[in-house]
Amino acid sequence: MTNQSAAIQHDKVRFRDVLTEGRALLTLTLVVAIGSHAVNMFAVRTVLPTIVEDIGGAKILFWSAALFSLMAILGGMLTINLKSRIGARLSFYLAAALLIIGSAFGGFAPTFEIVILGRGIQGFAKGILVSLSYMVLAETYKGNLMTRMIGILAIVWAVAAAIGPMAAGILEHFFTWRGTFLVNFVVGLAIAIQAYFAVPNAAKVQKSAKPDFRVLLPLITAVTILCFIGQLTHPLAIAGLLIAAAFLIFIGLRAERHSKSRMLPVRLFDPRSPVAVAYMVTIMLSTFVTAHTLYNVAYVQTLWQIDLTLAGYMTALPAAFWSVGSWSVASVSTYRAQRLWIMAGLYAIWLSVALSAAALHFASLPLFLLSLTLLGLGLGWQNIFIEKISVQFVRGRERDRAAAMLPPMDNAASAFGAALAGLVALNLSLINPDAPNGLFSANEVQSYAPLMSALFFVLLTPILVLPHILPKTPPRKIT
């Protein structure tokens, strides 16, 4: 009877409830942390072709996304221990300081290699911020209140999709592309101030075991090795790196299962568990969506001769419609319906990749924009429920691990996805540093980009099976 009453109360949760019971400042903190990450992502993505045109780096462009994601993994994996040792507020301070340092490297970079270094430091900072935010979200927002809060963060992504390309265009016009990095000096300061007022300082710092580097180093090294395939064309070299990475992942996961300071949720190793399914969906989507969309801004600029700001807006459509999709299903409160929306979202994403291949082949801008819209809707329909499922079926410390490790896993997949895009682009001869924009010509885009999309369409197909593995009923206790 108690559980039924709780279910009714959770069903009646409203969006304004995230601002009640002392949660208003905390909600604002999460919005600032996630929002700054989102705006920065869209702004840098928009100016990347301009950076390459200015200082070169076409063949290593993917490292800008890959190293950012790679270092975000490290930051995210250390967040549980960092928060336990120094508290949430000091963790926010540290992340803000690192964001400013990384932005200085990127903003004053004379070569693309230094830009990549700056992006790596930024990624470490963002890994801490995002994982910390999700830990706080899982601790504070229960049941359907969690769904509402994830819906709020979806709106943040929509706003970022609008602000990011516009900010990139304005900053590039007045301060060159370097302004998109240097503006983070202000962002980092704002995060620190927000944390001072909104995040409680731990009165008693909890004791926590040190990170187990027998686990951490093999896994991080494996993802790093995978990123290097983006620069290779020889089949034997690629196969060698894949085998080495697989071996290191095996070593890391084996050490994790026997570690005294575990970082990964135990249920992750059970392929039938909802946690494992949620993580697998996240990993597959992050890998192939990142690979599929990495060159979108350059595609639009090259194939349809559209200026930087407008190209940024067009390629931000997935984020905008991600928010539309999330809000359209945020009031869905039954587990059965949520499971169906996960399936609908995955099918929409899968079909959007096929539409993109056709649009690039026929040079059809309306069809390309339709594919981006469908991609965003699909991401929105499934994301809030996949995130909820990843923590809904576990308790206590396991919930902390499941919440904190989802962003690093997402980043690992994004890093590999960026490298995969570089690998396929190089081996299809899409990349041409001698092209006017330093990347590729319109003919090369129309000839080879559709093949990339078709490949990712095929590789993404197995994801359609995963939702059917999820339990047909929710956990007994509503969380």
Side-chain angles (χ1 to χ4, degrees):
M1 198 64 146
T2 303
N3 286 347
Q4 289 177 354
S5 300
I8 293 171
Q9 287 180 339
H10 281 302
D11 287 346
K12 293 181 179 179
V13 168
R14 296 160 297 185
F15 280 104
R16 67 170 178 263
D17 290 340
V18 301
L19 302 176
T20 61
E21 300 180 10
R23 285 186 290 261
L25 287 177
L26 187 58
T27 296
L28 184 59
T29 302
L30 298 182
V31 167
V32 171
I34 300 298
S36 64
H37 164 63
V39 170
N40 179 262
M41 184 189 77
F42 287 114
V44 172
R45 180 186 296 174
T46 301
V47 299
L48 271 178
T50 304
I51 298 175
V52 170
E53 189 175 358
D54 183 27
I55 59 176
K59 292 186 177 181
I60 56 173
L61 179 145
F62 74 91
W63 271 110
S64 173
L67 190 61
F68 180 95
S69 298
L70 186 64
M71 293 304 293
I73 303 165
L74 183 59
M77 294 183 82
L78 295 175
T79 300
I80 293 179
N81 297 89
L82 186 66
K83 178 175 175 286
S84 297
R85 286 177 172 274
I86 67 175
R89 184 189 294 176
L90 289 179
S91 298
F92 273 108
Y93 289 166
L94 175 63
L98 289 171
L99 176 62
I100 292 172
I101 293 170
S103 299
F105 273 97
F108 297 111
T111 64
F112 200 81
E113 287 79 2
I114 303 301
V115 171
I116 293 171
L117 175 62
R119 289 290 287 160
I121 299 172
Q122 284 184 327
F124 188 81
K126 292 298 184 181
I128 296 173
L129 282 174
V130 174
S131 287
L132 195 59
S133 297
Y134 276 94
M135 286 175 66
V136 171
L137 191 154
E139 291 171 356
T140 312
Y141 304 86
K142 304 298 183 181
N144 284 325
L145 190 63
M146 184 191 301
T147 305
R148 300 297 190 271
M149 187 58 203
I150 295 173
I152 295 289
L153 295 181
I155 287 295
V156 172
W157 280 92
V159 173
I163 294 176
M166 178 178 66
I170 293 172
L171 291 168
E172 195 273 337
H173 179 75
F174 289 103
F175 306 104
T176 76
W177 57 265
R178 299 179 187 277
T180 59
F181 287 89
L182 299 179
V183 73
N184 284 314
F185 282 47
V186 178
V187 173
L189 183 61
I191 290 173
I193 293 172
Q194 180 67 33
Y196 177 79
F197 287 104
V199 179
N201 196 20
K204 182 180 180 181
V205 177
Q206 304 171 10
K207 291 184 178 180
S208 176
K210 293 181 180 179
D212 191 339
F213 286 98
R214 295 176 306 164
V215 178
L216 200 56
L217 288 179
L219 294 180
I220 293 294
T221 304
V223 180
T224 305
I225 288 174
L226 287 174
C227 289
F228 276 101
I229 68 170
Q231 295 177 253
L232 301 178
T233 56
H234 196 286
L236 288 180
I238 294 169
L241 288 185
L242 289 175
I243 292 170
F247 177 72
L248 286 170
I249 290 172
F250 171 77
I251 294 296
L253 292 181
R254 185 178 180 182
E256 163 70 13
R257 298 191 71 169
H258 298 91
S259 175
K260 293 181 179 179
S261 54
R262 297 182 62 91
M263 292 181 290
L264 300 174
V266 175
R267 300 293 300 279
L268 185 61
F269 298 98
D270 179 1
R272 299 166 298 175
S273 78
V275 175
V277 172
Y279 268 63
M280 185 56 66
V281 168
T282 300
I283 289 169
M284 290 189 70
L285 284 182
S286 296
T287 298
F288 295 115
V289 170
T290 299
H292 174 60
T293 60
L294 183 68
Y295 297 109
N296 273 357
V297 173
Y299 288 162
V300 172
Q301 286 184 286
T302 303
L303 198 54
W304 294 289
Q305 300 299 308
I306 292 173
D307 66 61
L308 180 142
T309 304
L310 186 55
Y313 274 121
M314 288 180 175
T315 54
L317 278 176
F321 280 92
W322 182 333
S323 301
V324 172
S326 294
W327 273 79
S328 69
V329 299
S331 61
V332 175
S333 57
T334 66
Y335 174 80
R336 182 174 178 275
Q338 291 173 356
R339 187 169 170 269
L340 290 174
W341 276 110
I342 291 172
M343 296 179 187
L346 295 181
Y347 271 99
I349 294 165
W350 183 63
L351 291 173
S352 76
V353 180
L355 280 179
S356 176
L360 292 170
H361 177 72
F362 295 108
S364 171
L365 182 58
L367 190 58
F368 187 70
L369 297 180
L370 177 61
S371 74
L372 296 179
T373 300
L374 187 59
L375 173 62
L377 288 172
L379 289 169
W381 289 337
Q382 59 81 37
N383 179 255
I384 60 175
F385 304 130
I386 279 293
E387 288 184 0
K388 183 179 178 182
I389 285 172
S390 71
V391 298
Q392 181 179 28
F393 287 82
V394 287
R395 307 284 183 270
R397 185 68 169 169
E398 277 295 286
R399 169 172 285 201
D400 254 3
R401 293 190 185 104
M405 293 309 300
L406 191 62
M409 287 289 187
D410 182 35
N411 285 317
S414 294
F416 178 60
L420 183 62
L423 171 70
V424 176
L426 275 178
N427 284 274
L428 288 177
S429 301
L430 172 63
I431 299 296
N432 178 13
D434 296 326
N437 64 358
L439 275 171
F440 34 62
S441 67
N443 286 337
E444 287 159 338
V445 171
Q446 201 167 353
S447 298
Y448 302 118
L451 296 178
M452 282 185 65
S453 294
L455 174 63
F456 298 142
F457 173 77
V458 172
L459 293 176
L460 192 58
T461 301
I463 201 173
L464 303 177
V465 177
L466 293 177
H468 297 280
I469 304 174
L470 290 171
K472 292 181 171 58
T473 57
R476 292 180 183 178
K477 182 179 179 181
I478 296 175
T479 59

